[in-house]
C-alpha cells in the first residue's frame, strides 16, 4: 500500500470502514454510510488500493454494501452514482436461451438482447443498468433502464440477496450505447482485484471463527485445537489465504488482466477451501443457522461466481497458455 | 544497482556467452558432469562480476542487495545452465557463516566457494534426528585448541564434492535438546571422516551417510556461540527458503513452459488439459508471488522466520502438482520412454516426491504454521 497509504493508515481506514459496515443494517444504509465517509473520494483518489481496503472490510464484516457497481463504473470512466448499477459477468450454467458461462455479453442477431449475469441489490433502487455488449471489434458499454430488469421475486443463496441472477431479454430499442473511456477488460480487472480482496477478507473471518472454536471447544479433556488433523486444516487455509493476499497485492503494484484473473481464482480457491476446512472444524454448530458461518459460506459461493469462478478462470488461463504455447513469468523482482 | 538493469545486463551477458555456458549434456547428466558444469558456470559468473553481487566485500563480493543473487539463479535456471541443487548449497550456508563465524574465517573460506572452486555440505540430520532435529547426538568434546567430534550424520548432500561441512554437534548434556548444540565448520578431508553414498530412488548418489570418528576440529571453526548451534540452524533455515526457493521456482517455471510448449504443439485444447495446466500455473504463480515478497523482506533487512514455512508448503505443492500433471498429460513418458527428455521428466517426477520430505516434512511445516502463525497452542 506504500504508494497510497502506509500500512498503519490503511489499517485504520479499513477498521473505520468495517465499523461503518457493521453499524448499517442493510445494503442501502451501508452504501449511505460509506458515501458519507468518503468512499467516492477514496475510489477516485486510489481506485485499486482504496477498493482493496474497502473490499477487505466487506469480506470480514459480511456487509452487503454494493461497492462493486462503483468499482466497475469507475473503471469504465462512468460517473459513479447510487442510481447506476452493473450487469456483472459470472460463471453460470448454460441454458438454451443464455450465452456461454462467464460471458453474458452477447448480441443475438436482430432483436432482442439476451442478458445473463448477476446484479447487486442496487438494482432495487437504481435507474440505469450498465451492460457489456459484444460488438465488432471489441466490447462496448450500453445502458438499460433498471425498471425493465427488476425481478422482485429473485432470491438465490446469498444471505442478503446481495447478488442475484438476472436472465432477461430486452428489445434492442431499450439498449442505449454509453460513452465509456475505460474498456470492459479494465473494468473486469478492477472488479476481480476488488473481489479477490473481499474473498480474502471473508476467508480470514472464517479462519478466525474456526480457530477460536478450536481453542474453546474441549473434547477428550483437551481443546480440539490440540489435534493435528484440526491444526493441519487450519494451517492449509492460512497458507492459501496468505498466497492469495500476496498475489492480490501484486495486482495493486502492477495490475494486469491475467494477474487479476489469477488473483481472483486463487482468492476464490482460498475462500472455498477455508470454508470447507472451517466448517469441518466448527462441526455441528457450523451446520446450524444459529452460527453465522453459513452466511459467509453462502456469500463466498456467490462471490466466487462473479467475474469467473476459481475453476473457470484458471481453466481459461490454462487454455490461453496452450493456445500461445508460452508461459509468461508474470511476476518480477 | 537496480534489479531490472542488473537482469538486463546479466541476460545480455548470458546470451552472448551461451556457447560456453550451455551444458554439454542433454536432459539429465551424471552428478560428475553436473558438478563440473556448475563449477564452470559459477566461475564464469564470478569472473564476469555478476556472481559477486549481493555478497559482502569481505568475502570477495561486490556488495549490493541479495535480490541480485536471486536474479542470477533465476536467469541460470530459466536458461537451464546449471544444476539448481548444487547452487542451493552456497545460498543456504554462506550467508549464515558470513554472519555468525569469525570475519577471518569467512574471509578465508567463503571466497573459493563463491568462485565455484569449492563446494560445501550441510551435516544436520542424523539417523535418530530427522524431523526432531534438536535431539541430535553427534558429539563434540572440547580438547586442546578445539573439539573432537564423534558420531553419525545422514542425508549429507554433495559431500563427495565438498571441501567443508557445516556440522551441528552435541556439546551439552545428551538431553540438552536445542540448548546444547554447537555448529562447526569442518574440513571434509579431516582424518576420521568417512562416508558412504546413499542411492536415491531416482538412481542418483545425491547424499551420503557420514561417520565422524574422533575428528579434530580447530577452535576457530566455531560458527556462532558455543552451545548456540540451534540459533545457527534457525538462521540458515530462512536462507534455505528465500533465495534458493526463488531459484527452484524458476526451474519449475521453465519445466512448466516445456510442458506447455509440448502440449501446445500437439494441439490439445481439451477442457481437462486446460484445467490441469491452469491449476499448475496458478500454484506456480501463487508460490512466485509469495516468494517475491520474501525476497524483498530479506533485501530490506527484515528478519525472516517461521513464516517461510508458508513458502515451503507452496513450492512443495506446486512442484508435486507440476510433475503429476506431466505424468497425466504426457501419458507413459515417465514410465516407459527412453529419450533424454523422458529421462529428464522421469528424474523430475521421482525427485518431486522428496519435496514434501526434505528440509522439514510437509507435516512439520503445517505444525509450524499451526503453532507459530495460528497460535493454536501445544499439540496433544
Amino acid at each position: 500500500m506504500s504508494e497510497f497509504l502506509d500500512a498503519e493508515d490503511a489499517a485504520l481506514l479499513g477498521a473505520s470502514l468495517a465499523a461503518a459496515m457493521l453499524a448499517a443494517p442493510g445494503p442501502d444504509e451501508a452504501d449511505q454510510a460509506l458515501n458519507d465517509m468518503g468512499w467516492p473520494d477514496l475510489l477516485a483518489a486510489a481506485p485499486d488500493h482504496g477498493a482493496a481496503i474497502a473490499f477487505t472490510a466487506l469480506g470480514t464484516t459480511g456487509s452487503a454494501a454494493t461497492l462493486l457497481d462503483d468499482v466497475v463504473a469507475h473503471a469504465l470512466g462512468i460517473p459513479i452514482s447510487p442510481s447506476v448499477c452493473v450487469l456483472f459477468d459470472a460463471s453460470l450454467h448454460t441454458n438454451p436461451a443464455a450465452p456461454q458461462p462467464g460471458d453474458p455479453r452477447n448480441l443475438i442477431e436482430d432483436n432482442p438482447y439476451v442478458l445473463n449475469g448477476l446484479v447487486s441489490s442496487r438494482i432495487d433502487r437504481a435507474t440505469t443498468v450498465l451492460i457489456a455488449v459484444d460488438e465488432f471489434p471489441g466490447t462496448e458499454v450500453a445502458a438499460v433502464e433498471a425498471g425493465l430488469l427488476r425481478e422482485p421475486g429473485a432470491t438465490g443463496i446469498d444471505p442478503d440477496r446481495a447478488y442475484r441472477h438476472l436472465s432477461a431479454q430486452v428489445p434492442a430499442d431499450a439498449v442505449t450505447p454509453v460513452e465509456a473511456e475505460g474498456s470492459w477488460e479494465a473494468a473486469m480487472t478492477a472488479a476481480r482485484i476488488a473481489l479477490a480482496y473481499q474473498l480474502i477478507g471473508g476467508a480470514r473471518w472464517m479462519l478466525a471463527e474456526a480457530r477460536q472454536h478450536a481453542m474453546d471447544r474441549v473434547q477428550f479433556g483437551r481443546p480440539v485445537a490440540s489435534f493435528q488433523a484440526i491444526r493441519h486444516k487450519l494451517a492449509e487455509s492460512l497458507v492459501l489465504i496468505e498466497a492469495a493476499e500476496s498475489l492480490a497485492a501484486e495486482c495493486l503494484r502492477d495490475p494486469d488482466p491475467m494477474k487479476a484473473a489469477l488473483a481472483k481464482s486463487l482468492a476464490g480457491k482460498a475462500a472455498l477451501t477455508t470454508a470447507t476446512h472451517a466448517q469441518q472444524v466448527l462441526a455441528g454448530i457450523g451446520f446450524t443457522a444459529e452460527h453465522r458461518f453459513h452466511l459467509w459460506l453462502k456469500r463466498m459461493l456467490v462471490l466466487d461466481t462473479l467475474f469467473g469462478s476459481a475453476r473457470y478462470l484458471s481453466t481459461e488461463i490454462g487454455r490461453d497458455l496452450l493456445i500461445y504455447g508460452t508461459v509468461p513469468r508474470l511476476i518480477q523482482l | 544497482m537496480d534489479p531490472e538493469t542488473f537482469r538486463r545486463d546479466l541476460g545480455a551477458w548470458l546470451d552472448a556467452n551461451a556457447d560456453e555456458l550451455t551444458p554439454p549434456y542433454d536432459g539429465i547428466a551424471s552428478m560428475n558432469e553436473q558438478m563440473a558444469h556448475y563449477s564452470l558456470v559459477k566461475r564464469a559468473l564470478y569472473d564476469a562480476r555478476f556472481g559477486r553481487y549481493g555478497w559482502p566485500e569481505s568475502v570477495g563480493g561486490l556488495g549490493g542487495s541479495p535480490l541480485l543473487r536471486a536474479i542470477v539463479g533465476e536467469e541460470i535456471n530459466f536458461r537451464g545452465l546449471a544444476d539448481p541443487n548444487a547452487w542451493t548449497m552456497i545460498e543456504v550456508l554462506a550467508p549464515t557463516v558470513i554472519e555468525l563465524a569469525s570475519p577471518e574465517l569467512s574471509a578465508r573460506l567463503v571466497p573459493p566457494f563463491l568462485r565455484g572452486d569449492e563446494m560445501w555440505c550441510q551435516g544436520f540430520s542424523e539417523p535418530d534426528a530427522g524431523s526432531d532435529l534438536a535431539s541430535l547426538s553427534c558429539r563434540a568434546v572440547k580438547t586442546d585448541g578445539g573439539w573432537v567430534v564423534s558420531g553419525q550424520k545422514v542425508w549429507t548432500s554433495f559431500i563427495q564434492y565438498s571441501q567443508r561441512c557445516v556440522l551441528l554437534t552435541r556439546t551439552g548434556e545428551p538431553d540438552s535438546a536445542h540448548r546444547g548444540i554447537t555448529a562447526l565448520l569442518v574440513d571434509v578431508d579431516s582424518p576420521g571422516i568417512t562416508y558412504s553414498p546413499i542411492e536415491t530412488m531416482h538412481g542418483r548418489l545425491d547424499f551420503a551417510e557420514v561417520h565422524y570418528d574422533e575428528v579434530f576440529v580447530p577452535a576457530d571453526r566455531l560458527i556462532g556461540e558455543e552451545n548456540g548451534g540451534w540459533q545457527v540452524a534457525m538462521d540458515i533455515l530462512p536462507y534455505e527458503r528465500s533465495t534458493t526457493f526463488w531459484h527452484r521456482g524458476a526451474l519449475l517455471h521453465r519445466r512448466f513452459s516445456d510442458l506447455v510448449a509440448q502440449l501446445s504443439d500437439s494441439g490439445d485444447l481439451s477442457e481437462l488439459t486446460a484445467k490441469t495446466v491452469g491449476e499448475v500455473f496458478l500454484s506456480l504463480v501463487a508460490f512466485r508471488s509469495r516468494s517475491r515478497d520474501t525476497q524483498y523482506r530479506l533485501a530490506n533487512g527484515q528478519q525472516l522466520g517461521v513464516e517461510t514455512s508458508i513458502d515451503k508448503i507452496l513450492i512443495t505443492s506446486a512442484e508435486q502438482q507440476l510433475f503429476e500433471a506431466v505424468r497425466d498429460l504426457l501419458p507413459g513418458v515417465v514410465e516407459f520412454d527412453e529419450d533424454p527428455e523422458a529421462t529428464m521428466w522421469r528424474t523430475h517426477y521421482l525427485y518431486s516426491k522428496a519435496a514434501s520430505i526434505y528440509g522439514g516434512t510437509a507435516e512439520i511445516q503445517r505444525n509450524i504454521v499451526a503453532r507459530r502463525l495460528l497460535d493454536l497452542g501445544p499439540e496433544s
Side-chain angles (χ1 to χ4, degrees), chain A:
Chain A
M1 303 263 163
S2 54
E3 305 109 38
F4 164 59
L5 283 175
D6 65 33
E8 202 176 318
D9 288 343
L12 280 174
L13 177 59
S16 56
L17 290 174
M21 290 170 187
L22 288 172
D28 295 11
E29 292 84 351
D31 283 355
Q32 188 59 54
L34 295 168
N35 261 314
D36 295 346
M37 286 183 70
W39 157 248
D41 299 335
L42 179 63
L43 187 62
D48 295 344
H49 290 81
I53 295 169
F55 277 71
T56 302
L58 286 180
T60 52
T61 59
S63 169
T66 62
L67 305 186
L68 192 63
D69 295 284
D70 295 333
V71 166
V72 171
H74 184 269
L76 290 170
I78 293 168
I80 68 166
S81 153
S83 62
V84 173
C85 72
V86 178
L87 177 65
F88 302 118
D89 286 10
S91 293
L92 299 166
H93 71 275
T94 312
N95 65 49
Q100 290 304 299
D103 189 4
R105 300 158 287 155
N106 208 357
L107 174 59
I108 305 293
E109 290 296 324
D110 307 313
N111 293 328
Y113 279 81
V114 176
L115 305 181
N116 186 36
L118 298 185
V119 286
S120 77
S121 63
R122 188 181 286 196
I123 196 167
D124 293 340
R125 52 193 192 281
T127 54
T128 304
V129 182
L130 299 175
I131 65 170
V133 183
D134 270 357
E135 296 284 8
F136 184 80
T139 305
E140 287 184 359
V141 181
V144 180
E145 198 200 313
L148 292 173
L149 300 174
R150 268 183 212 121
E151 291 181 67
T155 53
I157 202 174
D158 189 275
D160 298 300
R161 301 178 66 233
Y163 295 99
R164 305 150 199 186
H165 182 193
L166 187 148
S167 179
Q169 300 192 1
V170 290
D173 59 10
V175 175
T176 324
V178 172
E179 279 298 318
E181 278 171 35
S183 67
W184 187 250
E185 187 181 49
M188 281 204 293
T189 296
R192 283 172 178 156
I193 298 170
L195 286 165
Y197 275 100
Q198 190 174 0
L199 286 157
I200 291 163
R204 288 204 190 275
W205 182 90
M206 294 186 290
L207 178 58
E209 288 292 312
R211 179 198 169 274
Q212 196 57 51
H213 179 80
M215 297 296 286
D216 296 341
R217 173 74 172 160
V218 174
Q219 288 289 276
F220 306 103
R222 52 204 168 210
V224 298
S226 68
F227 296 110
Q228 199 172 56
I230 300 248
R231 299 164 83 83
H232 286 191
K233 282 187 195 300
L234 298 179
E236 275 161 27
S237 303
L238 182 67
V239 168
L240 277 173
I241 292 169
E242 293 296 347
E245 176 112 39
S246 167
L247 189 54
E250 167 68 22
C251 292
L252 298 184
R253 265 193 302 274
D254 180 21
D256 156 284
M258 183 188 267
K259 234 184 256 180
L262 287 167
K264 167 75 169 54
S265 178
L266 188 61
K269 181 176 167 182
L272 298 175
T273 305
T274 302
T276 302
H277 289 338
Q279 180 141 44
Q280 192 63 21
V281 170
L282 289 166
I285 192 71
F287 188 66
T288 66
E290 175 191 337
H291 196 286
R292 293 193 299 160
F293 169 77
H294 73 104
L295 304 176
W296 265 259
L297 169 67
K298 291 166 182 169
R299 174 66 51 75
M300 294 301 122
L301 295 175
V302 169
L303 296 177
D304 180 53
T305 65
L306 270 163
F307 287 101
S309 68
R311 179 192 162 111
Y312 172 83
L313 290 173
S314 64
T315 304
E316 282 308 290
I317 287 168
R319 203 186 317 276
D320 286 348
L321 297 182
L322 291 169
I323 289 168
Y324 294 113
T326 58
V327 180
R329 288 197 211 180
L330 217 59
I331 295 168
Q332 296 286 23
L333 284 179

Side-chain angles (χ1 to χ4, degrees), chain A residues 207 210-212 214-215 222-223 225-228 230-240 242-250 253 258-259 261-267 269 310-311 313-333, chain B residues 3-4 7 67 70-71 74-75 78-79 246 253 256-257 259-261 263-265 268-271 273-275 277-279 281-283 285-293 295-296 309-310 313-314 321 362-367 369-371 373-380:
Chain A
L207 178 58
R211 179 198 169 274
Q212 196 57 51
M215 297 296 286
R222 52 204 168 210
S226 68
F227 296 110
Q228 199 172 56
I230 300 248
R231 299 164 83 83
H232 286 191
K233 282 187 195 300
L234 298 179
E236 275 161 27
S237 303
L238 182 67
V239 168
L240 277 173
E242 293 296 347
E245 176 112 39
S246 167
L247 189 54
E250 167 68 22
R253 265 193 302 274
M258 183 188 267
K259 234 184 256 180
L262 287 167
K264 167 75 169 54
S265 178
L266 188 61
K269 181 176 167 182
R311 179 192 162 111
L313 290 173
S314 64
T315 304
E316 282 308 290
I317 287 168
R319 203 186 317 276
D320 286 348
L321 297 182
L322 291 169
I323 289 168
Y324 294 113
T326 58
V327 180
R329 288 197 211 180
L330 217 59
I331 295 168
Q332 296 286 23
L333 284 179
Chain B
E4 205 36 62
R7 178 198 308 284
L67 287 177
I71 290 172
E74 178 182 3
E75 296 305 316
F78 264 114
R79 289 168 169 77
W246 185 257
H253 210 93
F256 177 62
S257 303
L259 173 67
V260 166
L263 294 168
S264 185
D265 287 345
D268 178 0
L269 291 175
S270 69
E271 180 80 7
T273 302
K275 179 173 182 290
V277 165
E279 280 171 355
F281 188 48
L282 187 63
S283 292
V285 171
F287 162 72
R288 191 166 163 88
S289 184
R290 170 75 184 184
S291 185
R292 180 198 176 279
D293 296 345
Q295 307 309 319
Y296 271 90
S309 282
I310 291 182
I313 293 170
L314 290 170
Q321 249 182 296
E363 288 70 29
I364 289 288
Q365 304 308 331
R366 283 159 177 77
N367 289 349
V369 171
R371 180 74 201 254
L373 301 180
L374 282 168
D375 198 18
L376 286 173
E379 268 182 65
S380 58

